[in-house]
Amino acid sequence: MFRFETPIYLYGLVLVALLALIRFMMHRSQKKRLRKFGDPQLLKELMPDVSRVRPALKFWLLEAALAMLFVMLARPQFGKSINHEKRNGIEAIIAMDISNSMRAQDVVPSRLERTKMMVENLVDNFTNDKIGLIVFAGDAFVQLPITSDYVSAKMFLGSIDPSMMQNQGTNIAAAIEMAAYSFTQQENIGKAIIVITDGEDHEGQAIEAAKYAKERGMRVYVLGVGSTKGSPIPIPGTGDYMHDNSGNVVMSTLNENMCREVAQAGGGAYIHVENNSNAQRQLDEELNKLEHQETESTIYSDFDEQFQAVGILALLLLIIEVLVLESKNPFMKKISLFGSKSKAVTIFLLLMAMPSIAQTDRKYIRQGNKLYEQRDYEHAEVDYTKAIEKNDKNPQAHYNLGNALFAQRKDSAAVVQFEKAAQLETNPLRKSQSYHNMGVICQQNKLYGEAIEAYKQALRLNPNDDETRYNLVLCQQEKKKQDQQNQQNQQDQKQNQQKQDQQKKDQQKQDQQQKQDQQNKDQQKEQQKPQMSKENAEQLLNAAMQQEKQTQKRMREAQKQGQRRQVEKNW
């Protein structure tokens, strides 16, 4: 595969074409001027040393060298360099039962959550092995193809829920059959199918499927989750339990006999998951008995730089241009030869310097890739950042930096780098991978709307990406559930608000009623006061009038006595 890492420099070829056009126009003008001196044939005979071909050849050699210079700056890359990592381990496919019965809470916090913790512990203990993940209920499908990417395996655990399966039930046979076809074609390596279930097989034929897997060199291990006493199956969000057609509560029990028979038929072992550490230890002992072989994993792919070959070609063109003389006379070599050599030396030094300039950011990227393979993500981030400082237009540096940040759980910063990589990248497949990673980050943070848009953009660029298509469908289902939950929350808030408003109105009515009752009591008290008879009222009125008359009489007598004293004094 061939590509240009920085194709923007190819626009410099327009300058090459423009120079060719200017030279053509100058050549025509020169011909017109010569015709003014005389017949062209006669002038040719008068100038035997002048060559018409050599100047044109020298010009086109310079044009070709300039074109090669722009091509070199565009950094052509050819071929594919794939780094492989060899590991000595086994291959294991984990089949998780996610039927509704796994919601039972006879183990804390529930059978499904205990299963997720068990799988996470399994992944943490794997070092040089390849793992895959299958989920099943009434049907089975591959959640994660067999890989050495343990981070992705743990990432998918958070989104696993029984609502993913439209057909409920427990079809252990389908899970084993799908796992049997999910291994690599490598021979003489231990292959384990780890089934984690409560053993309620509703479809049958699980024993036959386990025998078939054993015949193909695989071992089937069954991890039983749950209690033999049984437990009801809760319905999420309702606080109620599942009932059968008769209205009785459904009790789900661990079928240990079934689990043992399947494990025995598959040549493996049955382990009851009561305590994660004990079950993990028993399973590790069983897996260590399998044959470990060297496996090869593709870690990183890269393109090899080819600008050196283009630079050498440009240098050869310049050397040829210097050696070609404009005159036919060999004694004319000294004319402008020194200048041509100095020009060639200058360009030669420039060409020698360009590889180191162009390779600076690639050097940091390679260093970062080595650290990333060693899972030293923090120092890999430093090298990728240095590469971006040298060349901010390198989409590979931005993409790798996003991966290093993503591995360190720096999700927001990783999204920024993936966006820049998608903007700068010209290859559709690599561009779609940037959008895919953005979708994964949004999906992990339950931003399903943003994840759906990112996955759609990735599929537009790479319609054959089945993993992106699956994630898109999963996010659409989660988005639908999220919208329903939001609508339910809004309805609950609305109902609560209405309830509060109604309570407020009821309180106001109650206050008004209490006020009205108080007014009625006051009126009753007024009415209960003793009433004065008419005769008593007239007597009181007459007495008050007599008292008033006496008071006025005393006041008039007092005024008369005062006047007499004043007169006697003056006199």
Side-chain angles (χ1 to χ4, degrees):
M1 185 177 180
F2 181 81
R3 72 169 187 177
F4 289 100
E5 182 65 24
T6 53
I8 190 172
Y9 289 104
L10 295 178
Y11 288 108
L13 297 176
V14 177
L15 177 62
V16 177
L18 183 61
L19 291 175
L21 179 61
I22 294 174
R23 200 265 177 187
F24 174 74
M25 296 176 64
M26 291 179 63
H27 183 66
R28 290 187 61 182
S29 177
Q30 184 181 13
K31 280 186 175 182
K32 290 181 181 180
R33 290 197 303 269
L34 287 175
R35 288 192 184 97
K36 294 180 180 179
F37 288 99
D39 183 60
Q41 187 64 29
L42 179 61
L43 292 175
K44 181 178 180 182
E45 294 176 359
L46 293 175
M47 297 182 295
D49 295 334
V50 176
S51 175
R52 297 176 56 187
V53 177
R54 294 190 179 195
L57 178 60
K58 290 174 69 65
F59 172 79
W60 290 113
L61 286 173
L62 288 174
E63 282 279 272
L66 183 60
M68 291 296 101
L69 180 62
F70 284 117
V71 172
M72 184 183 67
L73 290 174
R75 294 173 60 185
Q77 297 176 347
F78 183 77
K80 201 170 189 180
S81 174
I82 301 178
N83 297 332
H84 299 279
E85 186 178 85
K86 293 184 178 181
R87 302 177 176 182
N88 189 24
I90 64 171
E91 295 181 359
I93 301 292
I94 302 173
M96 286 181 56
D97 184 357
I98 60 171
S99 59
N100 284 329
S101 60
M102 294 295 288
R103 298 185 188 272
Q105 299 175 349
D106 46 1
V107 292
V108 180
S110 68
R111 295 179 183 177
L112 181 61
E113 294 302 322
R114 177 62 67 89
T115 299
K116 289 182 180 181
M117 293 191 304
M118 185 69 186
V119 174
E120 188 171 355
N121 291 336
L122 284 172
V123 174
D124 289 337
N125 288 335
F126 284 143
T127 54
N128 299 322
D129 311 299
K130 288 186 175 182
I131 59 173
L133 184 60
I134 290 176
V135 294
F136 69 95
D139 294 325
F141 66 87
V142 177
Q143 178 79 356
L144 178 69
I146 191 164
T147 179
S148 300
D149 187 1
Y150 303 139
V151 176
S152 298
K154 295 175 67 174
M155 178 189 68
F156 281 108
L157 286 176
S159 59
I160 292 177
D161 189 79
S163 59
M164 296 170 54
M165 306 299 294
Q166 294 182 353
N167 297 329
Q168 282 298 321
T170 306
N171 194 344
I172 299 178
I176 296 176
E177 291 175 358
M178 180 163 290
Y181 290 101
S182 299
F183 290 101
T184 64
Q185 298 300 320
Q186 185 174 353
E187 298 180 354
N188 299 325
I189 185 173
K191 299 179 179 180
I193 301 175
I194 305 171
V195 181
I196 307 178
T197 180
D198 55 14
E200 289 189 342
D201 187 15
H202 297 163
E203 304 296 332
Q205 299 182 346
I207 297 177
E208 290 77 4
K211 290 181 180 178
Y212 175 75
K214 181 181 179 182
E215 293 173 357
R216 298 187 60 186
M218 305 166 193
R219 293 292 180 268
V220 180
Y221 301 90
V222 181
L223 275 63
V225 183
S227 171
T228 55
K229 298 179 181 179
S231 174
I233 303 173
I235 301 175
T238 62
D240 195 6
Y241 297 96
M242 295 184 64
H243 295 75
D244 57 17
N245 296 331
S246 301
N248 300 320
V249 176
V250 177
M251 298 295 292
S252 174
T253 59
L254 171 63
N255 190 347
E256 287 194 304
N257 293 330
M258 169 69 182
C259 293
R260 288 193 180 94
E261 291 176 359
V262 173
Q264 184 178 2
Y270 166 71
I271 299 173
H272 184 201
V273 181
E274 293 179 338
N275 180 279
N276 277 355
S277 60
N278 292 336
Q280 179 67 52
R281 178 180 53 79
Q282 296 178 38
L283 182 60
D284 289 341
E285 292 176 356
E286 294 293 336
L287 295 180
N288 288 333
K289 298 177 184 178
L290 299 178
E291 184 177 3
H292 289 61
Q293 287 289 337
E294 189 176 79
T295 62
E296 189 175 83
S297 301
T298 301
I299 302 301
Y300 180 77
S301 61
D302 193 9
F303 287 83
D304 293 331
E305 298 282 357
Q306 301 295 328
F307 65 88
Q308 300 93 335
V310 181
I312 293 174
L313 180 60
L315 180 61
L316 291 175
L317 292 173
L318 289 174
I319 293 174
I320 295 172
E321 190 273 337
V322 171
L323 295 177
V324 175
L325 302 176
E326 294 185 359
S327 175
K328 296 179 181 180
N329 191 345
F331 297 101
M332 298 296 293
K333 292 182 180 180
K334 296 183 179 180
I335 301 176
S336 72
L337 183 59
F338 181 79
S340 299
K341 285 185 177 180
S342 63
K343 176 177 65 176
V345 171
T346 303
I347 297 177
F348 175 77
L349 293 176
L350 177 63
L351 292 173
M352 292 298 100
M354 286 306 299
S356 60
I357 296 174
Q359 200 173 4
T360 302
D361 58 330
R362 301 296 303 171
K363 176 183 176 182
Y364 286 118
I365 291 177
R366 291 190 182 97
Q367 291 176 357
N369 292 340
K370 292 179 181 178
L371 294 171
Y372 188 88
E373 293 170 8
Q374 298 170 4
R375 299 188 179 183
D376 189 357
Y377 304 120
E378 184 176 357
H379 290 90
E381 176 188 352
V382 174
D383 283 330
Y384 292 142
T385 304
K386 291 180 180 179
I388 293 174
E389 291 176 355
K390 295 294 182 181
N391 182 11
D392 187 52
K393 302 299 182 181
N394 190 339
Q396 187 177 359
H398 287 286
Y399 178 78
N400 290 0
L401 178 57
N403 286 332
L405 293 170
F406 182 33
Q408 299 178 72
R409 304 296 183 184
K410 300 178 181 179
D411 294 341
S412 58
V415 169
V416 173
Q417 296 303 322
F418 286 135
E419 287 179 345
K420 290 182 179 179
Q423 293 173 0
L424 297 172
E425 188 59 71
T426 56
N427 186 285
L429 296 180
R430 292 193 299 273
K431 194 170 186 177
S432 68
Q433 190 62 35
S434 297
Y435 284 110
H436 174 86
N437 290 357
M438 291 165 57
V440 171
I441 294 175
C442 294
Q443 182 179 355
Q444 279 188 339
N445 291 276
K446 296 184 179 181
L447 302 174
Y448 299 116
E450 292 80 354
I452 289 172
E453 293 301 324
Y455 286 140
K456 285 183 178 179
Q457 187 66 27
L459 286 175
R460 293 187 187 102
L461 297 168
N462 185 13
N464 297 324
D465 192 343
D466 294 333
E467 183 178 355
T468 301
R469 183 174 290 103
Y470 169 74
N471 288 354
L472 174 61
V473 174
L474 184 61
C475 284
Q476 288 174 341
Q477 294 176 354
E478 295 295 332
K479 181 67 165 55
K480 184 177 180 181
K481 291 168 57 178
Q482 191 179 62
D483 292 341
Q484 291 176 352
Q485 184 65 34
N486 291 337
Q487 291 178 0
Q488 183 64 34
N489 293 337
Q490 291 177 358
Q491 291 178 358
D492 293 342
Q493 291 178 358
K494 187 177 180 180
Q495 291 177 357
N496 292 335
Q497 186 63 34
Q498 292 177 351
K499 186 177 181 180
Q500 291 177 0
D501 294 341
Q502 185 63 36
Q503 290 177 351
K504 188 175 180 180
K505 291 179 181 179
D506 295 340
Q507 185 65 34
Q508 291 177 352
K509 289 181 179 179
Q510 187 177 359
D511 294 341
Q512 292 177 357
Q513 183 64 34
Q514 291 177 354
K515 186 176 180 181
Q516 184 66 32
D517 294 341
Q518 186 64 34
Q519 290 177 355
N520 294 335
K521 290 180 180 179
D522 294 340
Q523 291 178 0
Q524 290 177 0
K525 288 181 179 180
E526 290 293 333
Q527 292 176 0
Q528 290 175 359
K529 290 182 179 180
Q531 300 293 332
M532 188 179 295
S533 64
K534 184 176 180 182
E535 295 177 354
N536 293 336
E538 289 179 354
Q539 291 176 0
L540 289 174
L541 181 58
N542 292 330
M545 291 175 65
Q546 291 295 332
Q547 187 177 0
E548 180 66 23
K549 288 178 181 181
Q550 292 176 2
T551 301
Q552 290 179 0
K553 182 178 179 180
R554 287 194 298 268
M555 289 178 63
R556 283 194 297 270
E557 291 176 354
Q559 287 177 359
K560 289 178 180 180
Q561 291 177 0
Q563 290 177 357
R564 285 197 299 269
R565 286 195 297 271
Q566 184 68 29
V567 172
E568 290 173 353
K569 184 179 179 181
N570 290 338
W571 178 83

